[in-house]
């Protein structure tokens, strides 16, 4: 990989996954999902910085914490400027569809979409007797997919 920070990106993603597990175990589920989503974002940024012709411009902006594109803009940039990314997207369509769906599912927790994603609802005496198995299994599935 032609990116001076390649290993750092991978190690940061690993740490975010560890954080997600620990946060989930402590009951901070929305923070855990945010860490999962951040691990994906770090990976996408790494792909951008290693696969586009004008990567030096983006690397400098990223290093200096200047304006840097968001996920949607990064994907758009990769589609336009990275033949490798476009080739992967063509040959691995299912993976890209699943990744988009995964991000949408994680956003439900991060952005508190749905009453069940509120702490006050999940910790309410009325709901505390309900099984947490599905909730835990969902997190484990998301963790594996990230």
């Amino acid at each position: 990989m032609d990116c001076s920070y390649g290993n750092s990106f991978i190690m940061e993603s690993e740490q975010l996954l560890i954080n997600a597990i620990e946060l989930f175990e402590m009951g901070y589920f929305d923070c855990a999902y945010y860490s999962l989503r951040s691990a994906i974002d770090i990976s996408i940024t790494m792909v951008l910085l290693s696969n586009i012709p004008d990567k030096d411009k983006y690397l400098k902006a990223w290093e200096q914490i200047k304006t840097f594109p968001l996920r949607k803009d990064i994907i758009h940039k990769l589609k336009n400027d990275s033949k490798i990314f476009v080739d992967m997207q063509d040959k691995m369509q299912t993976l890209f569809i699943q990744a988009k769906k995964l991000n949408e599912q994680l956003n439900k927790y991060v952005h508190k979409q749905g009453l069940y994603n509120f702490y006050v609802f999940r910790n309410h005496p009325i709901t505390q007797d309900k099984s947490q198995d599905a909730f835990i299994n969902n997190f484990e599935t998301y963790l594996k997919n990230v």
Side-chain angles (χ1 to χ4, degrees), residues 28-41:
Y28 301 116
F29 61 90
D30 58 342
C31 298
Y33 284 104
Y34 187 84
S35 287
L36 292 178
R37 199 181 69 174
S38 293
I40 295 171
D41 290 343

Side-chain angles (χ1 to χ4, degrees), residues 84-101:
I84 294 169
F85 183 81
V86 171
D87 185 51
M88 284 177 56
Q89 204 171 28
D90 288 342
K91 292 178 178 169
M92 302 169 69
Q93 291 178 12
T94 303
L95 175 70
F96 282 85
I97 290 168
Q98 290 171 343
K100 183 178 181 185
K101 184 178 177 184

Side-chain angles (χ1 to χ4, degrees), residues 34 71 83-84 91-92 107 119 129 139 146:
Y34 187 84
R71 172 198 313 254
K83 292 178 184 176
I84 294 169
K91 292 178 178 169
M92 302 169 69
N107 281 340
Y119 284 104
D129 290 340
F139 177 77
V146 170

Side-chain angles (χ1 to χ4, degrees), residues 10-115:
I10 293 167
M11 291 186 308
E12 184 69 14
S13 291
E14 289 173 353
Q15 186 61 55
L16 286 163
L17 297 177
I18 292 166
N19 294 353
I21 293 167
E22 291 178 359
L23 288 163
F24 190 82
E25 288 175 345
M26 289 188 290
Y28 301 116
F29 61 90
D30 58 342
C31 298
Y33 284 104
Y34 187 84
S35 287
L36 292 178
R37 199 181 69 174
S38 293
I40 295 171
D41 290 343
I42 292 290
S43 299
I44 291 171
T45 299
M46 179 180 69
V47 171
L48 175 73
L49 295 176
S50 63
N51 281 296
I52 57 171
D54 55 347
K55 67 178 135 228
D56 291 337
K57 173 183 116 179
Y58 284 89
L59 183 59
K60 185 173 277 289
W62 178 79
E63 286 175 337
Q64 297 175 1
I65 314 173
K66 291 185 178 180
T67 302
F68 196 79
L70 300 173
R71 172 198 313 254
K72 149 181 102 163
D73 299 321
I74 289 174
I75 299 294
H76 181 73
K77 177 79 174 155
L78 287 166
K79 285 180 181 179
N80 290 332
D81 294 345
S82 174
K83 292 178 184 176
I84 294 169
F85 183 81
V86 171
D87 185 51
M88 284 177 56
Q89 204 171 28
D90 288 342
K91 292 178 178 169
M92 302 169 69
Q93 291 178 12
T94 303
L95 175 70
F96 282 85
I97 290 168
Q98 290 171 343
K100 183 178 181 185
K101 184 178 177 184
L102 174 62
N103 188 62
E104 291 168 356
Q105 292 167 329
L106 295 175
N107 281 340
K108 298 289 183 197
Y109 294 95
V110 171
H111 297 298
K112 300 290 188 178
Q113 296 174 356
L115 187 60

